[in-house]
Amino acid sequence: MKEKILVTGGTGYIGSHTAVELIHSGYEVVIIDDLSNSQQEVLDGIEKITGTRPVFAQFDLCDEAALAAFLGQHRDIKAIIHFAASKAVGESVQKPLLYYKNNILSLILLLEAMQRHDIPNIVFSSSCTVYGQPDTLPVTEATPFKPAESPYGNTKQIGEEILRDNCRAVPATQAISLRYFNPVGAHASALIGELPQGVPGNLVPFITQTAAGIRQQLLVFGKDYDTPDGSAMRDYIHVVDLAKAHVIAVQRLLKGQQKSNYEFFNLGTGKGLTVLEIIEVFERVNNLKLNYKVVDRRPGDIEKIYADTTLANEALQWRTELGVEEMMRSAWQWQQRILKHA
Ligand code: UD1
């Protein structure tokens, strides 16, 4: 019997790649997604890659009745990977209540439902945004949180606190928060990838859309940061490496290997790259020229951040396998495929 894993937000960018890796590792995947920022056709991509079509239910996790009915039908779920959330930093400043509802209320309702249905295990999508601009680099898991820069960032901090407190109060509960640095790239098959709606806020989709002629020019935000070339520095991680870490986290929960019932890990490569370095790699591996212009800083951006990944490397026995060239190549292959199918 395959162990059943519920993936909320499973048609989204990281969720879909994780669904693929779970199926490859022998799990049965069931997905809940309200399709507010993804499309049902993603299931076709998952099926083409794995030969298996996950069970899919479309509803908002704040719909308690729908969630209860779903969990009533799937009584053998062993763990939940909870991706479903809103993730646009700028939008969260405009619509904070939407973010607290989608990201916090849904988490609380999910945890309550898990208790009612005796599901002890959850993996939570957190973010390096919880650290703000850290005083020292690289950031370890012991680095203290800074006040959140946006409602989105705040929902990740509060989400982690809720999980920590709930694990303290209910010792049978087991949770792992995974703090992602900057996930980029796409599956090597180019059958799934990131599908941003409207004008992308994130760097790599903006790069690929500019290369594809959908956007005229990429604006590089900031030229006077304290980095080798003055542009901001991030820790970009291939989405497939990130997805694999989720499978390992689930296995850790299922095998009862946790050191305490609430754990959290940084997931990055440990290497900082600037925006201009990313552009250089993108141009080189894909043999094209990008139209870009360096402009002033984007409000709210931090200068530089990259991860200390020692804890994840040692405790999870997880290492990234795909480098920045593969990130940029796969992102472009995916962009070309969605253009053909647009
Ligand atoms: C931020 C959050 C991250 C969150 C993500 C979701 C931090 C440290 N990170 O990532 O937790 O999950 O948003 O949206 O708060 N850039 C350009 N031109 C562009 C777009 C981006 O130069 O058109 C630059 C940015 O200024 C930044 C870098 O590229 O220096 C990466 O930006 P982006 O992809 O938006 O991610 P973060 O802001 O790092």
Side-chain angles (χ1 to χ4, degrees), residues 87-89 127-130 132 152 180-183 200-206 218-222 225 231-234 236 275 298 300-303 305:
K87 61 169 186 179
V89 175
S127 167
C128 70
T129 199
V130 297
Y152 161 77
Y180 316 147
F181 282 66
N182 286 53
N202 293 116
L203 177 65
V204 174
F206 208 105
L218 168 76
L219 300 180
V220 174
F221 299 129
Y225 286 118
S231 64
M233 183 180 279
R234 298 286 184 276
Y236 296 90
V275 176
R298 180 170 70 175
D301 268 349
I302 60 166
E303 180 168 82
I305 187 164

Side-chain angles (χ1 to χ4, degrees), residues 290-333:
L290 205 63
N291 181 17
Y292 70 90
K293 182 169 81 174
V294 181
V295 297
D296 284 346
R297 296 178 178 200
R298 180 170 70 175
D301 268 349
I302 60 166
E303 180 168 82
K304 52 185 162 186
I305 187 164
Y306 51 94
D308 182 323
T309 62
T310 311
L311 194 63
N313 296 155
E314 289 178 359
L316 302 179
Q317 290 291 298
W318 166 86
R319 276 189 167 65
T320 54
E321 291 165 1
L322 302 165
V324 63
E325 298 191 346
E326 197 41 46
M327 298 178 208
M328 293 304 120
R329 207 177 286 126
S330 62
W332 179 232
Q333 278 165 358

Side-chain angles (χ1 to χ4, degrees), residues 89-254:
V89 175
E91 185 189 46
S92 79
V93 178
Q94 308 298 324
K95 301 176 185 169
L97 298 183
L98 181 73
Y99 274 67
Y100 289 113
K101 181 162 169 268
N102 283 353
N103 296 9
I104 299 298
L105 181 59
S106 65
L107 175 64
I108 294 169
L109 295 176
L110 185 65
L111 291 171
E112 285 182 345
M114 287 172 66
Q115 274 167 33
R116 276 196 292 272
H117 290 84
D118 290 324
I119 304 169
N121 300 314
I122 183 166
V123 176
F124 176 66
S125 286
S126 188
S127 167
C128 70
T129 199
V130 297
Y131 298 115
Q133 175 63 69
D135 296 330
T136 53
L137 289 171
V139 273
T140 72
E141 288 78 356
T143 302
F145 290 3
K146 290 277 177 66
E149 295 276 348
S150 67
Y152 161 77
N154 208 18
T155 66
K156 293 299 172 190
Q157 293 189 348
I158 296 169
E160 286 205 26
E161 285 164 3
I162 290 172
L163 285 169
R164 183 201 61 205
D165 292 347
N166 191 51
C167 282
R168 268 188 204 144
V170 188
T173 306
Q174 305 192 104
I176 294 178
S177 291
L178 298 177
R179 295 176 183 160
Y180 316 147
F181 282 66
N182 286 53
V184 298
H187 194 264
S189 64
L191 290 166
I192 54 172
E194 190 170 6
L195 274 175
Q197 287 185 342
V199 183
N202 293 116
L203 177 65
V204 174
F206 208 105
I207 288 179
T208 60
Q209 289 196 5
T210 306
I214 302 168
R215 311 281 156 212
Q216 226 187 349
Q217 190 176 47
L218 168 76
L219 300 180
V220 174
F221 299 129
K223 52 193 165 202
D224 54 358
Y225 286 118
D226 182 19
T227 59
D229 59 30
S231 64
M233 183 180 279
R234 298 286 184 276
D235 185 340
Y236 296 90
I237 173 170
H238 198 296
V239 66
V240 171
D241 277 329
L242 193 61
K244 288 179 178 170
H246 289 77
V247 178
I248 296 171
V250 159
Q251 287 166 343
R252 185 172 176 87
L253 294 172
L254 295 181

